C-alpha cells in the first residue's frame, strides 16, 4: 500500500528549537493523529510537509512526490487554525474566488457542504462564530476533491455535536482507500474515535508512532503504593509520578501489570493520560 505521506529523518534547526530526525508515515486510506504539547514541533512538521521551507536534513514525500510539486499540491486539502480568508468575504464570494483559482473546484460540492454545515451564504466571515469559521475552512479544503487532507485543529471551536459530524465526514472521506488524513489536534478524545495510528512529538523529537488499537489495548494507568510500584519490572513502566493520592504509573502492558499486582487499581489509559505521563516524565 502506498503511503500518502512519508517523513524520513526530518531535521530543522532554529535558534530556540530543533526538530531532530523525525520519521513517520501516513498510509493511504488511513487517519493519522499528530499530537504533542505546545512547542513540540507539530506546526514545523506540517510546514515541512507542505513545502514551506527546505529542511536541514531528511526528506518528505507527498503522494509519492516532493512537496514542492505543483501537481501534488492540487491533490491536497489543508485546514489551519486560521484560514487567512479576508473577513469581508461571504461564503458566496469565497466560492467564486475558489472557483477561479483552485483547479478541480466543484461548485455543486461547495453548495452541498455549505448546506450540510448550515453556513449562511450572505454573511461576512467576520460575523461568523468560531465554529462556523472552522466549518467554512473545512468546506474550502474539501470542495476540490483532494486525495489527502492535512488538518491543524480542524475541530477547535466546534461544539461536541458538530465535532462528531466533522469526524463522521473524515471517516466517510477515507472510505475511498486512495484518501488519507493527517490530523493535528489537542482534542485527543477526537483521535480516540477515528485515528488509525498516533504520531507523538515531544520537544522536537518523535516519541513514537503506534497503531491506535495497540495504544488502547496495551497502556494502562496503575495506582498503588510506592513499594508495590517499585516491585514491578522497570521495562513495564513507561512513566511514573507521585501525588498526594499516592503513586501512579503508566504501564505499557496492562495485562502483565494486572497479573503482577492483582489488588492495584488499573485503568485503561486514555490518549490524554499517555501524553501527560510521557511529556511530564522529564520533570521526574
Amino acid at each position: 500500500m502506498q503511503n500518502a505521506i512519508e517523513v524520513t529523518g526530518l531535521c530543522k534547526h532554529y535558534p530556540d528549537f530543533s526538530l531532530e530526525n523525525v520519521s513517520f508515515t501516513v498510509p493511504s486510506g488511513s487517519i493519522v493523529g499528530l499530537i504533542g504539547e505546545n512547542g513540540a514541533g507539530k506546526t514545523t512538521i506540517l510546514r515541512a510537509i507542505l513545502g514551506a521551507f527546505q529542511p536541514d536534513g531528511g526528506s518528505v514525500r507527498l503522494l509519492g512526490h516532493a512537496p514542492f510539486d505543483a501537481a501534488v499540491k492540487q491533490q491536497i486539502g489543508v485546514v489551519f487554525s486560521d484560514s487567512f480568508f479576508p473577513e469581508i468575504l461571504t461564503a458566496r464570494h469565497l466560492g467564486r474566488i475558489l472557483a477561479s483559482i483552485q483547479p478541480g473546484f466543484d461548485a455543486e460540492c461547495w453548495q452541498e457542504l455549505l448546506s450540510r454545515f448550515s453556513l449562511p451564504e450572505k454573511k461576512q466571515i467576520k460575523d461568523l462564530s468560531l465554529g462556523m469559521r472552522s466549518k467554512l475552512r473545512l468546506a474550502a479544503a474539501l470542495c476540490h476533491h483532494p486525495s489527502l487532507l492535512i488538518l491543524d485543529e480542524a475541530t477547535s471551536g466546534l461544539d461536541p455535536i458538530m465535532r462528531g459530524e466533522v469526524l463522521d465526514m473524515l471517516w466517510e472521506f477515507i472510505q475511498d482507500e486512495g484518501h488519507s488524513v493527517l490530523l493535528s489536534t489537542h482534542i485527543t478524545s477526537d483521535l480516540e474515535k477515528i485515528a488509525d495510528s498516533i504520531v507523538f512529538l515531544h520537544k522536537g523529537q518523535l516519541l513514537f508512532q503506534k497503531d491506535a488499537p495497540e495504544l488502547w489495548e496495551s497502556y494502562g494507568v496503575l495506582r498503588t503504593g510506592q513499594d508495590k510500584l517499585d516491585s514491578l519490572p522497570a521495562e513495564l513502566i513507561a512513566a511514573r509520578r507521585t501525588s498526594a493520592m499516592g503513586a501512579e504509573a503508566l504501564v505499557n502492558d496492562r495485562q502483565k501489570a494486572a497479573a503482577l499486582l492483582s489488588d492495584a487499581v488499573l485503568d485503561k489509559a486514555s490518549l490524554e493520560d499517555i501524553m501527560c505521563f510521557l511529556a511530564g516524565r522529564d520533570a521526574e
Side-chain angles (χ1 to χ4, degrees):
M1 180 183 295
Q2 180 187 10
N3 289 320
I5 301 176
E6 294 181 354
V7 176
T8 306
L10 189 67
C11 299
K12 184 64 179 179
H13 305 297
Y14 297 102
D16 57 349
F17 174 79
S18 288
L19 195 69
E20 297 286 356
N21 196 32
V22 172
S23 299
F24 67 89
T25 62
V26 176
S28 295
S30 72
I31 298 176
V32 174
L34 178 63
I35 64 171
E37 73 280 6
N38 290 333
K42 301 187 299 298
T43 299
T44 302
I45 287 284
L46 295 180
R47 293 181 64 233
I49 288 172
L50 294 171
F53 60 76
Q54 186 68 43
D56 296 324
S59 63
V60 175
R61 303 288 287 177
L62 290 182
L63 304 172
H65 301 276
F68 303 100
D69 189 319
V72 168
K73 289 187 175 183
Q74 294 175 12
Q75 300 179 57
I76 301 171
V78 180
V79 180
F80 281 113
S81 55
D82 192 331
S83 64
F84 305 106
F85 296 144
E87 293 197 336
I88 61 170
L89 293 179
T90 65
R92 178 174 293 178
H93 292 144
L94 180 60
R96 292 171 181 168
I97 292 171
L98 292 174
S100 68
I101 65 174
Q102 195 172 61
F105 177 85
D106 185 335
E108 183 176 346
C109 177
W110 175 251
Q111 290 300 320
E112 289 176 356
L113 290 168
L114 295 184
S115 176
R116 180 169 181 173
F117 288 150
S118 300
L119 288 168
E121 289 191 58
K122 299 180 181 180
K123 204 170 187 177
Q124 290 182 324
I125 293 175
K126 66 181 179 65
D127 296 323
L128 298 179
S129 67
L130 291 177
M132 285 185 174
R133 294 185 191 200
S134 295
K135 291 185 283 186
L136 186 65
R137 290 193 289 269
L138 185 57
L142 287 167
C143 64
H144 66 292
H145 302 293
S147 299
L148 170 64
L149 283 177
I150 298 175
L151 311 175
D152 184 20
E153 301 297 343
T155 57
S156 64
L158 300 179
D159 61 58
I161 294 174
M162 192 62 236
R163 288 213 323 269
E165 291 181 13
V166 170
L167 297 183
D168 287 343
M169 181 173 288
L170 295 181
W171 179 254
E172 292 170 15
F173 179 76
I174 64 157
Q175 296 316 296
D176 182 330
E177 294 186 357
H179 291 172
S180 312
V181 177
L182 176 62
L183 174 58
S184 173
T185 182
H186 285 106
I187 306 176
T188 54
S189 59
D190 286 351
L191 296 178
E192 290 174 353
K193 295 172 183 174
I194 63 168
D196 295 294
S197 67
I198 302 293
V199 174
F200 186 6
L201 290 175
H202 176 53
K203 293 185 176 180
Q205 297 186 335
L206 178 72
L207 289 190
F208 63 68
Q209 178 173 15
K210 291 182 181 292
D211 290 342
E214 177 186 347
L215 288 174
W216 316 149
E217 291 303 317
S218 299
Y219 281 83
V221 177
L222 178 70
R223 298 176 177 88
T224 187
Q226 187 66 54
D227 56 339
K228 291 185 177 181
L229 189 59
D230 290 340
S231 71
L232 289 177
E235 64 271 15
L236 195 61
I237 300 175
R240 66 171 72 199
R241 65 190 180 197
T242 56
S243 67
M245 303 298 293
E248 295 180 318
L250 179 71
V251 295
N252 53 35
D253 190 327
R254 196 168 66 251
Q255 291 185 345
K256 184 179 290 186
L260 293 172
L261 294 176
S262 59
D263 59 342
V265 176
L266 181 56
D267 300 316
K268 281 188 175 183
S270 67
L271 188 52
E272 183 175 339
D273 289 329
I274 295 170
M275 278 189 64
C276 290
F277 269 99
L278 294 182
R281 67 186 176 185
D282 296 344
E284 293 292 327

